[in-house]
Amino acid sequence: MKQPKIQTRELSLFYGEKMALNSISMDIPEKEVTAFIGPSGCGKSTFLRTLNRMNDLIPFVKITGEVLVDSLNIYDKQIDVVNLRKKIGMVFQKSNPFTKSIYENVAYGPKINGIRERKKLNEIVETSLKNAFIWEEVKDRLYDSAMGLSGGQQQRMCIARALAVEPEIILMDEPASALDPISTAKIEELIFELKKNYTIVIVTHNMQQAARVSDYTAFFYLGELIEFGKTRKIFTTPDNKQTEEYITGRFG
Amino acid sequence: MSKKNKIIGTLFIGTTAFSAFLIIAIILVMLIVIIIGGKDTFSWEFLTSFPKDGMMKGGIFPAIYGTALLVVIMSVAAVPFGAITAIYLTEYARETSVLAQTIRFAVRTLATVPSIIFGLFGLGFFIKFVGGGMDNIFLGGQLKWGQPNILWASLTMSLLTLPVVIVSVEEAIRTVPREMREASLALGATKWETIRRIVIPGSRSGIMTGTILAVSRGAGEVAPILFTGAAYYLATLPTSLSDQFMNLGYHIYIMATQSANVDQTLPIQFATTLVLLMLTFMLNLTAVIIRSRLRKKAK
């Protein structure tokens, strides 16, 4: 296994009294694709959102344990959560463009980081859109509203928007669950390209997708990490009986 | 269905339909009476000239001007204040915190306080306390701010319309989807940057609706300005914040109760009422249109 980019140590999460994640420890390797699978409500999305502290926004959430990114505990008091989120991009289940132009969407992150120079912004917008495989489709309408794009285009634009802040890690929360097969294929192709430069963690309920795009797979069930390993192994010879039953479609 | 049930059913439908019809009828009758009574007096000249002959003739321009000025100053005070409160309530305060609940309770209470109480409060607080205090400190007791004027009347009115602004802006802020805030935060924006760049632009139409509703409410209210700045008759338009002003609603009240010959001024009363009604109707209509577009967007 390559150098781990993210490590969690006995990470538990509570919604009030209810335990949603039970003592999860895992190492997520750098510049690989790690997929989280498991039935609905198993905690995979919640776990993903602990990795960039998005759960901070929800009241009454309590987290114990550690999340180390490049060996630094991101729940440490000294960590600036705003800087952390610049380092860890996120793509959501439902594409969520701002009601602004395509250009303004992608330039949003760089702008809040203080980049004002038009030429530099143009450059970032173009590169990000190219890296998200959507430049050719939008280059003639950069100043039109992003709301006019199709669902799949919106999602790729959201990926471009995340890339524009030059993160090291990209978290994807079921990025293709609302998309048609062709758009899904494009996103998967994109993930394959992106892992050359980024560490990618993807939550998916689609097991074929996990098998296609990921190098490592983690199976979650009822808030626990049941099994984690190379995707090929998880999908062919899992160690755990529950994993096998889920993979073969006997429950979930 | 038994025959008895059928009769009860028919009766019930009849009663509800009649009630609904009655409401429309009342409004129609009011409108028709006002239009018939005012139509001969209502003219361009009526809108643009000063009252003449002890207000028995002439127009209502100073009252229109005064009302407009009142609502403008009122909006300048109430809209930013209300919008900031709404942002605090929706974005920063926890729904269950004591402070947030206290503010909400205060806003609800403010909305139900009779408008004459606002007038008395304005007289006591703005004129006597703030204005009188300013005169004592800056002018050595010379009377300038410690008397009714358009500034104090506008501020008093802004207190009355504050709940309208707060509620509208809050509603608009809630239509900005959580996903959009999360997208902004996930890109490394701070909470304030998210509010400034995503939430406020996304609730612009709500802020506008709130403003218009507040203006329409403020344009029609008389009680709050009764003691705080409205004048019976002025030969000149107000030019400073310390001037008194004429007002449409107050003008109707004066014409109907204080005029030397009420019957003679009747057409002017009707026409003034017509102007006031048209004004508030147009404002409300605009607010309804913006709001329905906002609701569509939220879906």
Side-chain angles (χ1 to χ4, degrees), chain B residues 19-37:
Chain B
S19 306
F21 169 78
L22 205 61
I23 288 176
I24 298 171
I26 291 169
I27 291 174
L28 271 181
V29 168
M30 265 165 70
L31 272 178
I32 289 167
V33 169
I34 291 166
I35 291 171
I36 290 174

Side-chain angles (χ1 to χ4, degrees), chain A residues 116-154:
Chain A
R116 292 270 171 278
E117 203 191 324
R118 201 72 196 172
K119 219 178 113 212
K120 180 93 179 120
L121 283 172
N122 291 344
E123 223 175 270
I124 294 173
V125 169
E126 185 174 337
T127 319
S128 307
L129 288 167
K130 276 180 177 162
N131 289 341
F133 294 173
I134 192 179
W135 174 251
E136 288 303 320
E137 291 158 65
V138 300
K139 63 179 180 190
D140 298 323
R141 48 168 171 156
L142 287 177
Y143 300 98
D144 293 355
S145 170
M147 295 310 200
L149 297 172
S150 74
Q153 288 172 326
Q154 285 189 3

Side-chain angles (χ1 to χ4, degrees), chain A residues 2 18 21 29 36 56-57 60 73-74 79 104 118 130 147 154 171-172 174 184 211 221 227 241 244 246:
Chain A
K2 287 188 192 173
K18 196 177 152 276
L21 293 174
F36 295 171
D56 288 15
L57 307 173
F60 310 116
N73 181 12
I74 63 169
I79 291 285
E104 286 301 323
R118 201 72 196 172
K130 276 180 177 162
M147 295 310 200
Q154 285 189 3
L171 308 177
M172 298 185 170
E174 304 197 23
T184 303
Y221 186 57
E227 190 168 352
K241 189 139 184 354
E244 191 188 340
Y246 182 70

